[in-house]
């Protein structure tokens, strides 16, 4: 986002080019950095990780009853409610889903778009089906309430909230934007649709919410992928390799100077 600001481009380009190593959390971000800032140097792809000591499926059986009836599904969106998050699309998807399936929508977070979203929900007559939870500290517990996460953003460097949901066994219905497709495997750990295609997103949501066997398959795939591909230890090892590589170059450089 900062790289799009003409007044900051030169400064950011200088910082990247003069660094001993540069990492990015998705291949999409690497490609955008090269395109927007005309960067040609090497950039290490190092995904975000999830700490399984914090993010894991919680037993929220008792808490769930505070938000939905036993026969209702829970859809969730977590963000800072900026325009780029397309929270209006979240509401549109939920409206379509709720026509076919008994469901509730939990909106977590705060931001500049929140008043507009509240107005839209009231205009659509959905106020009795939507709960605003504001900012939450125990995100893993909150995510565990959900059957699905909705992430229809028009831009995401990575989509960390989808990884956190994945670690809690919650599939994502999202957009084919930014780094999301690198994280969410379409047809395995969630479903993806073009930006703004709320009809397709709703269709995928209904498919998952109405087929418990399929939903369980997705939940298991989410847990496996988050543990195997985005674990704290594996990503930390990648960072350590980068540090050692840079330190090795520094040592060799100092030896050459001394020699």
């Amino acid at each position: 986002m900062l790289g799009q600001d003409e007044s900051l481009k030169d400064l950011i380009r200088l910082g990247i080019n003069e660094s001993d190593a540069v990492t990015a959390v998705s291949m999409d971000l690497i490609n955008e950095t090269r395109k927007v800032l005309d960067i040609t140097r090497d950039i290490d792809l190092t995904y975000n990780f999830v700490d399984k000591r914090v993010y894991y499926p919680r037993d929220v059986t008792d808490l769930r009853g505070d938000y939905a009836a036993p026969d209702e599904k829970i859809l969730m969106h977590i963000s800072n409610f900026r325009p780029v998050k397309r929270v209006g699309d979240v509401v549109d998807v939920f409206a379509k889903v709720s026509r076919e399936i008994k469901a509730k929508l939990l909106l977590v977070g705060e931001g500049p778009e929140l008043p507009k979203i509240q107005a839209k929900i009231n205009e659509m007559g959905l106020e009795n089906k939507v709960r605003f939870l504001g900012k939450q500290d125990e995100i893993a517990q909150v995510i565990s309430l959900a059957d699905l996460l909705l992430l229809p953003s028009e831009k995401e460097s990575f989509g960390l909230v989808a990884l956190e949901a994945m670690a809690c066994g919650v599939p994502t219905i999202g957009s084919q934007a930014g780094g999301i497709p690198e994280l969410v495997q379409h047809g395995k750990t969630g479903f993806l649709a073009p930006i703004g295609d709320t009809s397709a997103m709703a269709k995928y949501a209904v498919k998952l919410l109405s087929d418990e066997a399929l939903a369980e398959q997705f939940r298991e795939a989410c847990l496996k992928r988050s543990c195997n591909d985005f674990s704290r230890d594996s990503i930390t090892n990648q960072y350590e390799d980068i540090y050692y590589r840079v330190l090795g170059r520094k040592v060799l450089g100092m030896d050459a100077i001394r020699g």
Side-chain angles (χ1 to χ4, degrees):
M1 296 297 288
L2 291 175
Q4 304 285 344
D5 188 329
E6 290 295 333
S7 67
L8 296 175
K9 275 187 177 181
D10 288 342
L11 180 61
I12 294 174
R13 186 183 296 111
L14 176 67
I16 290 175
N17 284 329
E18 294 302 317
S19 294
D20 293 301
V22 179
T23 69
V25 295
S26 68
M27 183 55 67
D28 180 80
L29 184 56
I30 291 175
N31 293 335
E32 186 173 8
T33 300
R34 296 193 189 287
K35 179 181 178 181
V36 173
L37 297 174
D38 192 26
I39 299 294
T40 58
R41 63 158 298 157
D42 290 338
I43 299 176
D44 290 291
L45 173 61
T46 315
Y47 288 120
N48 285 316
F49 65 86
V50 65
D51 190 340
K52 292 295 290 183
R53 298 173 302 178
V54 178
Y55 292 93
Y56 58 88
R58 308 293 181 91
D59 183 0
V60 291
T61 305
D62 294 337
L63 183 61
R64 185 183 170 95
D66 293 338
Y67 300 100
D71 62 341
E72 290 181 319
K73 300 296 185 179
I74 292 179
L75 289 77
M76 183 174 291
H77 174 74
I78 304 173
S79 76
N80 53 16
F81 287 76
R82 291 183 293 126
V84 71
K85 300 299 183 178
R86 298 183 69 95
V87 188
D89 284 1
V90 171
V91 178
D92 289 338
V93 170
F94 175 72
K96 292 178 172 66
V97 171
S98 64
R99 293 180 196 135
E100 300 187 45
I101 290 178
K102 292 182 179 180
K104 291 289 176 62
L105 173 63
L106 303 186
L107 296 175
V108 183
E110 297 176 355
E113 291 283 288
L114 186 56
K116 184 186 298 185
I117 297 304
Q118 290 171 324
K120 177 169 183 162
I121 288 169
N122 291 334
E123 290 169 4
M124 297 178 73
L126 296 172
E127 60 271 17
N128 292 328
K129 297 182 179 181
V130 181
R131 293 284 298 274
F132 294 89
L133 304 189
K135 293 182 178 180
Q136 295 286 322
D137 294 325
E138 297 293 332
I139 290 296
Q141 180 163 306
V142 173
I143 292 175
S144 295
L145 290 166
D147 295 292
L148 279 180
L149 178 79
L150 299 180
L151 189 63
S153 308
E154 66 183 52
K155 186 181 289 291
E156 287 283 351
S157 295
F158 177 73
L160 182 59
V161 68
L163 176 56
E164 293 169 346
M166 188 184 295
C168 294
V170 179
T172 292
I173 303 295
S175 57
Q176 297 164 346
I180 297 176
E182 297 175 51
L183 171 63
V184 178
Q185 294 176 308
H186 181 74
K188 293 183 178 180
T189 63
F191 286 112
L192 302 176
I195 298 169
D197 193 345
T198 58
S199 293
M201 293 180 192
K203 181 180 178 181
Y204 287 135
V206 170
K207 180 177 181 179
L208 262 181
L209 294 173
S210 59
D211 187 336
E212 185 54 41
L214 182 63
E216 181 60 28
Q217 180 181 321
F218 273 55
R219 281 194 288 269
E220 291 298 324
C222 283
L223 294 172
K224 182 177 180 181
R225 179 161 169 75
S226 64
C227 184
N228 292 345
D229 299 337
F230 300 97
S231 71
R232 182 191 60 163
D233 290 344
S234 65
I235 303 301
T236 298
N237 288 339
Q238 292 178 37
Y239 275 110
E240 287 183 348
D241 288 342
I242 294 170
Y243 285 128
Y244 282 124
R245 186 185 73 211
V246 171
L247 288 170
R249 288 176 185 165
K250 291 292 189 182
V251 171
L252 289 174
M254 290 302 296
D255 288 345
I257 293 174
R258 294 191 187 99

